[in-house]
Amino acid sequence: MTQNLWKRRQLLGLPLALWGSAGAASAWAQEQQSWPEVKVALVEGFSGAFGNAGEGIYRNFLFASGAINAAGGIVIKGVPHRLVVERFDSQGSVQGALSMLKAVVDKKIRIVAQGNSSAVAGALLDAINKHNARNPAQRLLFLNYSAVETALTNERCSFWHFRFDTHADMRLKALFEVLKGDQNVSKVYLVGQDYSFGRYVVERARQMIPEVRPDIEVVGQVLHPTGQVKDFIPYATQIKASGAQAIVTGNYGNDLSLLVRAVRDVGLDASFYTFYANDLGTPTAMGDAGVGRAMAVIEWHPNVGVELGGKAGEASDAFYLAFRERFSKPNEDFIRLRIHVMLEMLARAVAQAEVVDAQWIAQALEGMHYQNAFHSGVMRAQDHQFQQMLTVMRMEKAGTPGIRFTNEGSAYGFRTVLRLTPDQVEMPSYCQMQRPVS
């Protein structure tokens, strides 16, 4: 039933006329409303400084769950169930997330999803581990779609936690495959936000660069307050004085766009090796300062279809266009394939488990393979880290070869620089997972 969800999910993106009739579509929607529900609690910041990012995540959940329901829902023992996503606003804080987790438990929802902060993810993971140990009849499953701190599937790995994004070390590995071949770079500067993830990226990059390019000198590093710096010119001046030709950073949002613009403003033509240059609002905020300079790494992006060509390219384009048909505003142009993969795999796991139980669903997810026309991966059982393709991309102007779609209705898009298979991205795990005895 659910193994071929990719083909069926495209129904959601089709114009209403192609369903047969508006009446038929309405009747189908009404029928779905009568189905039993499988609920996912989305604990995310929907208000506060990063509320727009939370809303962008929610749109992906709506689209993916809608496609699953349009394909017949999740069939449990012959009965179709509707996948429902319920929002819980953490306001982007650890305390807010822990408070929302209590509300999730009170509402008897057993599946929790979160991603937009590794600090929040770590706190939720600790709380869920304790809850599950104390309440074996009410155990929770934690699905992580964006929190990339490596320890979450290594030293802190948990049977109850599954990560569908690639972790920080995997992303750095992909970025440094490009750096390895850039003979114009002999000096690198490291920039990070001063919190656990930002510090980790700076520290890990300093360790990994000599492994891929022993000739490269790390000429400096800086950690700055997160979301508080309005003027990055002093930092940019320091970077320019160091002689660096490239900057490696885990920064996101304004902390990235303002840094890129400041470096341009001091007259430094440096490349940026980033995680998040393509995030919501960032390409537009960077403007011309990011063109030809800013690189990012992700599992998939809208212009992957240009490189793939053929049926795979057509399927990639169709996926993006279906999403944009439903969410057509420029500020809604934020699509993350991994969220769609995660919910499709969850649907398969619940159908296989035949019950909404965290342990049974977890066991079904372990070792599960994913394949559609343009993407593939497997949930590694050892540490619950999804192994998937990764793409390094560079920001360019519209009309540049490789740019079929631009970001947010702007004059900028991203083209593929390097595409890596799951085997090329995979890294060793140090997880010593404690599994439930029953």
Side-chain angles (χ1 to χ4, degrees), residues 158-169:
S158 166
F159 178 79
W160 310 109
H161 168 256
F162 290 81
R163 175 157 49 199
F164 289 82
D165 198 354
T166 45
H167 63 58
D169 285 24

Side-chain angles (χ1 to χ4, degrees), residues 23-349:
S26 176
W28 176 241
Q30 290 177 10
E31 181 184 337
Q32 289 181 32
Q33 295 301 315
S34 68
W35 293 352
E37 295 177 341
V38 174
K39 285 191 175 183
V40 175
L42 178 58
V43 179
E44 200 52 84
F46 297 110
S47 59
F50 299 102
N52 66 329
E55 293 293 343
I57 292 297
Y58 181 58
R59 286 191 292 273
N60 280 266
F61 270 80
L62 281 181
F63 184 77
S65 61
I68 289 167
N69 293 331
I74 303 172
V75 178
I76 302 176
K77 297 181 179 178
V79 178
H81 286 60
R82 187 164 60 100
L83 182 60
V84 175
V85 179
E86 189 164 334
R87 293 160 52 121
F88 293 80
D89 184 9
S90 68
Q91 300 181 337
S93 73
V94 168
Q95 284 306 118
L98 294 177
S99 175
M100 289 298 99
L101 185 64
K102 293 179 182 178
V104 171
V105 172
D106 289 343
K107 297 193 77 168
K108 296 181 171 58
I109 301 175
R110 299 290 178 252
I111 304 167
V112 179
Q114 182 273 339
N116 276 1
S117 165
S118 289
V120 170
L124 283 176
L125 181 57
D126 288 344
I128 288 171
N129 284 338
K130 291 175 183 176
H131 168 87
N132 288 357
R134 295 168 182 164
N135 304 277
Q138 302 173 359
R139 291 182 293 205
L140 304 173
L141 186 71
F142 182 13
L143 306 180
N144 171 2
Y145 50 82
S146 287
V148 300
E149 190 170 309
T150 303
L152 294 174
T153 48
N154 274 283
E155 303 94 298
R156 301 180 65 185
C157 67
S158 166
F159 178 79
W160 310 109
H161 168 256
F162 290 81
R163 175 157 49 199
F164 289 82
D165 198 354
T166 45
H167 63 58
D169 285 24
M170 298 164 80
R171 286 174 173 248
L172 285 172
K173 181 180 180 182
L175 286 170
F176 292 162
E177 281 298 310
V178 177
L179 179 63
K180 183 165 62 175
D182 189 351
Q183 297 305 314
N184 293 320
V185 175
S186 60
K187 296 180 179 180
V188 168
Y189 205 97
L190 310 177
V191 179
Q193 295 156 314
D194 195 6
Y195 77 112
S196 58
F197 171 69
R199 292 192 292 270
Y200 180 85
V201 171
V202 166
E203 176 186 350
R204 195 70 180 101
R206 182 176 283 277
Q207 294 169 353
M208 291 177 69
I209 288 173
E211 296 173 4
V212 296
R213 281 282 302 275
D215 60 308
I216 287 182
E217 179 185 2
V218 177
V219 292
Q221 68 178 59
V222 64
L223 296 169
H224 62 80
T226 303
Q228 298 178 35
V229 180
K230 305 302 180 185
D231 181 9
F232 274 86
I233 291 294
Y235 295 110
T237 301
Q238 184 178 344
I239 295 169
K240 183 179 181 181
S242 74
Q245 301 103 355
I247 298 159
V248 176
T249 180
N251 281 20
Y252 56 85
N254 282 340
D255 284 345
L256 177 59
S257 56
L258 292 176
L259 173 64
V260 173
R261 289 165 63 180
V263 166
R264 186 270 313 268
D265 290 345
V266 300
L268 176 58
D269 185 16
S271 297
F272 280 83
Y273 289 80
T274 86
F275 286 21
Y276 303 119
N278 63 316
D279 262 9
L280 189 63
T282 303
T284 303
M286 288 189 296
D288 285 351
V291 173
R293 298 183 181 92
M295 283 178 281
V297 58
I298 197 168
E299 73 279 358
W300 170 91
H301 66 95
N303 289 311
V304 162
V306 178
E307 178 201 358
L308 294 178
K311 298 289 186 181
E314 291 175 8
S316 176
D317 289 355
F319 172 62
Y320 175 66
L321 290 171
F323 182 85
R324 293 295 286 141
E325 183 176 350
R326 179 167 181 185
F327 300 108
S328 57
K329 296 178 182 177
N331 65 354
E332 294 176 336
D333 188 8
F334 179 80
I335 182 168
R336 291 295 176 264
L337 175 63
R338 59 182 175 267
I339 292 175
H340 305 255
V341 171
M342 179 179 77
L343 291 185
E344 288 179 15
M345 292 179 68
L346 171 66
R348 286 172 54 193

